[in-house]
Amino acid sequence: MPADKEKVHYKVWASDNVVYGPVLLELLLEWVADGRVLPDTWVFSEEVNSWKPAKSLSPLGDALAAYHSSQAPLPKPTELGKAGESITVEQLRQFDQLVALGKAELEQFIGHCTVMEIEEGGVIMKKGSPGDGLYMILSGEARVRIVAAGQDTTLATVSAGCFIGEVAMFSQTSRTADVLALTSCQLLFMSAEAFRGMMQAEPELASAVLFALGHIMADRMVAGNERLQKQVSSEFLWM
């Protein structure tokens, strides 16, 4: 068994179900700093000759704590119903899908939401986490990314006036990508439970919001189909 912890080799069972390594501690700590190794990521340590969650391995504990306290702070929501004390109706006017709603309707909508403040570098959503609600970016910019086969790929950059997470909420499936804050972000969050409550308490408002979200998802589907058609056409031309 190696005595020098810096010479111990590790393997990582990543979120894409691929095992990476063996690597030395120095590179493993870089993966922690990049957010590729999370507290519950399974890591094989040559020193203990077994797979364990990263948070239970002493060489990684401090690095994980430092990463999550400085680079990936947890969201800080206000209490339900208190969002009206933090934001204004005018801030919702930047969302094209909500411009048809009146002041009273927007105030009702805000009452079903919470506000979250995310620092630069923070995690807004994690791949594999429950699709328990949708987010609206009030200010700031975020990056949608996936890590597959060791490659960090940016799927999209989203900014103020954008909705994210609505597909997973309606399909009741887990998140399919990470969303990281490129700048400090303020977000409005509506949980699936709160949306159901709005449907019961203000059905007309819920219908208008549902129509708006359906429009967003339809636009994204059309854009995705167009990208696929261009890709297929390009491959065909080169055959």
Side-chain angles (χ1 to χ4, degrees), residues 42-102:
W42 286 95
V43 176
F44 180 89
S45 170
E46 180 184 49
E47 184 178 25
V48 297
N49 196 34
S50 67
W51 290 90
K52 292 182 177 294
K55 62 187 177 185
S56 67
L57 295 173
S58 57
L60 303 182
D62 292 341
L64 285 165
Y67 173 78
H68 281 277
S69 63
S70 63
Q71 298 188 46
L74 294 176
K76 303 172 183 177
T78 62
E79 294 181 8
L80 183 62
K82 296 289 185 65
E85 299 177 4
S86 305
I87 67 169
T88 64
V89 166
E90 283 66 33
Q91 287 177 277
L92 296 188
R93 299 294 187 193
Q94 64 184 310
F95 295 89
D96 294 339
Q97 297 78 10
L98 301 181
V99 293
L101 298 180

Side-chain angles (χ1 to χ4, degrees), residues 222-235:
V222 170
N225 288 339
E226 290 178 348
R227 286 195 298 270
L228 181 59
Q229 289 174 356
K230 289 180 180 179
Q231 180 180 350
V232 171
S233 298
S234 176
E235 291 175 353

